[in-house]
Amino acid sequence: MAIQRIQSEDCSVANLFQSFYAVPDYQREYVWDTDQVEQLLKDVREEMGDGAAHDAPEYFIGSIVVCPGQEDVLDLIDGQQRMTTLYITLCAIRDRLSELGSQPSSVLNAQIADATVDSLGEERRLYRLELQYEDSGDALTCLADGNPIETPSTQSMRNILNAHHVVTRFLSSEFGQDPAAIRRLYGYLTNKVKLIRIQTEDVAKALKIFETINDRGVGLNSMDLLKNLLFMKTPKGQFDQLKNTWKELQDTIFRMGEKPLRFLRYFIFSRYDVETLREDEIYGWFTKNDSLVGFGRDPIGFAKELVSAAKAYEQFRQGKSETGLRNRYLDNIRLLGGKAARQHLILLLAGRHLDPKLFDRLAAEVENLFFCYVITREPTRDFERNFAKWATELRSIKNETELETFILARFDRAKAELSNRFADAMGRLTLGSLQLYRFQYVLAKLTQQVDLLAYGETEGTRWLGNYVSGGFEIEHIFPQTPTAEAAAEFGPISDPEIVQRLGNLVLVEKSINTSLGNRPYSEKGPVYQQSKLLLTRALSERPKVGANTRIDRAVASIEPFAEWNESSLNLRQHSLVTLARAVWGLPERAVRPLVT
């Protein structure tokens, strides 16, 4: 067996940039932002001090890992963020000196680009650092040639442009118009700032060293390390295929604004028998479970599975099915969850294999239980763990009977255990006790339920969004700032916050709400009858549509109020709690907790 040789040398920036480097196209793009670039510059400036440059101490800024590339160019496997920033800094120093009318040294110019002779004996000019990944565009070559980056069309290009701006601003603020001071910084940077360059004989060994250096997430997160792990398992001839697949994954996650590690955690929960896992444990979990996951046997296939899950994740977050069709229950969850809630996605990912009808059934139950957890303020980590635990069972479900058994054992049982807390929370619910978007969801669901019972499912009643953002507003039956007549008609108030209670609130059309104003209930009652929302009309008068019609049955349990006072408000809130139990599928009585 051949012995793999590894060379490790202590290099100054000057030594480093006597060689030529390429960042392979499968590598991570340039991601350093203002804070990271400024921190590097400030650290170098602080170490340099104000004395003579040759008396300043050496400053070590880390290591890079390289392996032989083509035509005497070294492929940069690890450390490209620092190396790219150093290269941009050299370009910015050259540009600032030129701006001040001071000719940059030939040594500095040669550290940016220089001539070399290829295998045919032809001389050609090469940049000391070349970024081969697509997102870099021509940004770095523009800087190397002293040209502006005209149209930074990718995030990497924008980051490169920003880094150049940051260095330029730093040079101006620290050294003003003094080219000698800038040259002194350059002298310290190039001679006293050092890195360790580790060189291996091939890319496989370089990737392994990269993994070792960055183990346990030091410097990189689990997503970067997982990418590296897949490249380690992939034949070099298939690097382009894996690179394109991984880029599709990154683009999908970036497009939906999700945190990559949260997606990875929820993918693991939905796909494997894992109930708890921290983000900093993700990479270690993968390395210990290759036999289960199978990325070693088929790294590209595993990457494609991640892409498929990410695209489904994105659709679910947008309120759509995996195929991109609008889904009423997923859309409801979107309105309920806002931008932060994601835990329900564990179950939705685990249930992707179900046929559309069964998936809709699952999604409806996920919505109901998720709201129960929200309204009862169940700790997030508790129901996240429940969802991860249940995902194992859900993945094995194949038909309607099995799904109904699962729903009964898990969802219905969980809601039954929360029944008393649910009733208490809804009974005390006020406009300020939930985020506004969630309160709108609650009021819209209650209103929609009555319309569904009365009119059936139509395009108008099917979509909750029609009630949330369809030209309706939250109306205070007893006004927040009542007229003297309205206050006298309402009577004594035991609690000033009563005006914000659910029982005092109703959805009305914007045009109607404008006309209601702060008037007393006796004047508002007839106006409510102009609303197309049945729950709103039923507030002051039971609809006269004949006996035993769908509409009559829909409002049978909703008592109209001839007058509006604190007692009426409390009765209506109680009535809405009863309606809420039906809307979200809760039983009348609680059950003892099930130990699992």
Side-chain angles (χ1 to χ4, degrees):
M1 181 177 179
I3 298 175
Q4 287 276 359
R5 294 180 180 176
I6 300 175
Q7 297 177 348
S8 177
E9 54 183 323
D10 183 351
C11 295
S12 65
V13 171
N15 296 143
L16 282 174
F17 286 105
Q18 287 177 358
S19 301
F20 297 97
Y21 302 88
V23 178
D25 58 2
Y26 56 82
Q27 280 286 14
R28 182 190 193 195
E29 67 274 8
Y30 184 67
V31 298
W32 272 23
D33 59 18
T34 297
D35 290 344
Q36 291 160 305
V37 176
E38 283 185 344
Q39 190 62 56
L40 176 63
L41 295 171
K42 289 176 180 177
D43 290 345
V44 170
R45 177 69 180 90
E46 183 177 340
E47 290 296 322
M48 182 180 78
D50 296 319
H54 62 270
D55 292 331
E58 293 181 343
Y59 181 49
F60 173 71
I61 61 170
S63 62
I64 63 172
V65 179
V66 300
C67 66
Q70 297 180 348
E71 297 287 350
D72 295 325
V73 174
L74 295 173
D75 282 348
L76 187 58
I77 305 302
D78 186 30
Q80 79 114 328
Q81 304 296 322
R82 284 185 296 274
M83 283 288 283
T84 303
T85 305
L86 288 172
Y87 189 77
I88 293 170
T89 300
L90 294 174
C91 293
I93 289 174
R94 177 204 60 193
D95 297 343
R96 181 60 177 161
L97 289 173
S98 297
E99 185 181 339
L100 295 175
S102 177
Q103 187 67 27
S105 71
S106 59
V107 174
L108 174 55
N109 287 329
Q111 289 172 339
I112 295 171
D114 203 0
T116 186
V117 176
D118 63 21
S119 58
L120 298 177
E122 299 292 332
E123 182 177 302
R124 60 192 180 114
R125 182 173 181 268
L126 285 182
Y127 301 105
R128 292 292 182 182
L129 181 63
E130 179 185 1
L131 307 181
Q132 296 180 341
Y133 51 86
E134 185 179 353
D135 282 3
S136 66
D138 62 351
L140 199 62
T141 57
C142 284
L143 294 185
D145 291 337
N147 298 323
I149 303 172
E150 298 288 356
T151 54
S153 57
T154 69
Q155 190 59 48
S156 288
M157 294 178 73
R158 288 188 285 272
N159 289 341
I160 290 168
L161 175 60
N162 178 66
H164 188 269
H165 286 333
V166 171
V167 179
T168 301
R169 186 172 63 242
F170 177 84
L171 295 174
S172 178
S173 64
E174 282 290 320
F175 307 112
Q177 306 290 316
D178 186 358
I182 296 175
R183 287 184 182 278
R184 179 172 172 273
L185 174 71
Y186 166 66
Y188 178 78
L189 175 70
T190 195
N191 293 308
K192 293 296 186 76
V193 174
K194 293 193 171 184
L195 298 90
I196 292 177
R197 184 173 70 184
I198 302 170
Q199 182 170 341
T200 69
E201 292 182 346
D202 57 41
V203 66
K205 192 66 175 179
L207 287 169
K208 182 62 180 175
I209 291 174
F210 166 90
E211 178 193 35
T212 303
I213 290 174
N214 292 286
D215 194 16
R216 300 182 184 177
V218 178
L220 295 177
N221 64 39
S222 295
M223 197 77 174
D224 299 310
L225 293 171
L226 178 59
K227 173 188 173 183
N228 176 72
L229 184 61
L230 295 185
F231 273 102
M232 286 173 58
K233 303 292 184 180
T234 303
K236 191 170 183 181
Q238 297 178 13
F239 272 16
D240 280 349
Q241 187 179 0
L242 180 56
K243 176 201 73 174
N244 293 335
T245 303
W246 195 264
K247 185 178 186 303
E248 187 178 7
L249 174 64
Q250 289 182 311
D251 288 348
T252 302
I253 294 173
F254 178 78
R255 184 172 59 241
M256 62 176 155
E258 184 55 284
K259 296 177 180 179
L261 296 186
R262 175 156 55 189
F263 162 72
L264 271 184
R265 278 185 76 236
Y266 286 179
F267 169 79
I268 291 171
F269 289 156
S270 71
R271 184 69 178 80
Y272 308 104
D273 299 344
V274 178
E275 294 180 15
T276 59
L277 187 70
R278 298 195 312 267
E279 289 184 356
D280 60 356
E281 296 174 332
I282 291 174
Y283 178 70
W285 184 88
F286 275 115
T287 60
K288 295 173 184 175
N289 288 278
D290 185 15
S291 60
L292 173 66
V293 179
F295 61 80
R297 297 187 303 274
D298 185 9
I300 294 176
F302 174 68
K304 288 181 177 179
E305 184 180 356
L306 286 175
V307 171
S308 175
K311 288 184 175 180
Y313 192 102
E314 179 183 27
Q315 297 286 11
F316 296 158
R317 284 189 55 192
Q318 294 174 354
K320 300 175 182 178
S321 68
E322 187 172 5
T323 57
L325 297 176
R326 190 179 179 193
N327 182 290
R328 63 183 294 188
Y329 306 110
L330 300 181
D331 198 49
N332 292 354
I333 297 172
R334 178 184 63 83
L335 294 171
L336 166 63
K339 296 181 179 180
R342 302 283 189 276
Q343 297 80 11
H344 59 281
L345 292 165
I346 299 169
L347 289 175
L348 296 177
L349 287 176
R352 284 194 296 153
H353 66 288
L354 298 172
D355 68 46
K357 180 182 176 182
L358 296 185
F359 184 83
D360 276 3
R361 176 82 173 100
L362 171 68
E365 289 301 324
V366 169
E367 178 199 353
N368 290 344
L369 181 56
F370 189 52
F371 174 70
C372 291
Y373 283 146
V374 168
I375 198 68
T376 59
R377 301 190 183 279
E378 187 78 358
T380 301
R381 63 178 177 272
D382 289 350
F383 65 81
E384 180 183 88
R385 186 179 299 114
N386 281 345
F387 289 170
K389 184 188 304 182
W390 299 350
T392 300
E393 302 172 45
L394 182 56
R395 287 195 304 271
S396 66
I397 290 174
K398 300 180 180 63
N399 54 53
E400 183 176 2
T401 301
E402 291 177 355
L403 179 61
E404 292 302 327
T405 301
F406 170 74
I407 289 171
L408 180 64
R410 295 304 182 188
F411 289 83
D412 290 352
R413 188 80 192 189
K415 287 188 294 184
E417 292 173 5
L418 293 170
S419 181
N420 289 342
R421 287 167 55 192
F422 178 91
D424 181 62
M426 290 296 297
R428 292 184 292 105
L429 186 61
T430 65
L431 185 57
S433 60
L434 275 182
Q435 298 96 323
L436 178 59
Y437 69 89
R438 282 182 168 162
F439 196 93
Q440 290 172 323
Y441 164 87
V442 172
L443 207 50
K445 283 283 286 188
L446 295 171
T447 305
Q448 180 194 40
Q449 174 73 2
V450 176
D451 283 354
L452 283 170
L453 291 172
Y455 310 123
E457 190 172 294
T458 68
E459 277 303 301
T461 61
R462 176 182 177 84
W463 302 104
L464 190 65
N466 293 338
Y467 295 83
V468 172
S469 57
F472 299 104
E473 294 180 337
I474 297 176
E475 142 77 356
H476 290 75
I477 302 169
F478 176 59
Q480 297 183 84
T481 53
T483 62
E485 185 181 359
E489 184 179 286
F490 187 81
I493 297 176
S494 61
D495 179 4
E497 285 297 309
I498 197 172
V499 71
Q500 303 295 345
R501 293 189 68 197
L502 175 64
N504 192 53
L505 303 171
V506 67
L507 284 183
V508 294
E509 292 82 350
K510 290 181 181 179
S511 58
I512 294 177
N513 199 26
T514 301
S515 66
L516 289 168
N518 299 329
R519 293 190 287 174
Y521 180 73
S522 59
E523 296 179 18
K524 285 185 174 185
V527 182
Y528 290 142
Q529 296 307 307
Q530 301 172 21
S531 176
K532 66 179 183 181
L533 302 177
L534 191 55
L535 184 61
T536 303
R537 298 208 310 272
L539 176 62
S540 59
E541 183 179 324
R542 192 184 301 280
K544 298 179 178 64
V545 290
N548 204 32
T549 65
R550 287 188 63 166
I551 296 176
D552 182 60
R553 291 193 299 271
V555 298
S557 63
I558 303 173
E559 290 295 329
F561 296 95
E563 57 184 27
W564 194 250
N565 51 41
E566 187 167 334
S567 175
S568 305
L569 190 157
N570 289 333
L571 284 173
R572 184 170 185 268
Q573 182 118 0
H574 180 76
S575 174
L576 292 178
V577 172
T578 302
L579 178 61
R581 285 186 179 277
V583 170
W584 285 284
L586 278 93
E588 286 297 325
R589 293 185 178 182
V591 299
R592 289 184 299 173
L594 177 67
V595 179
T596 59

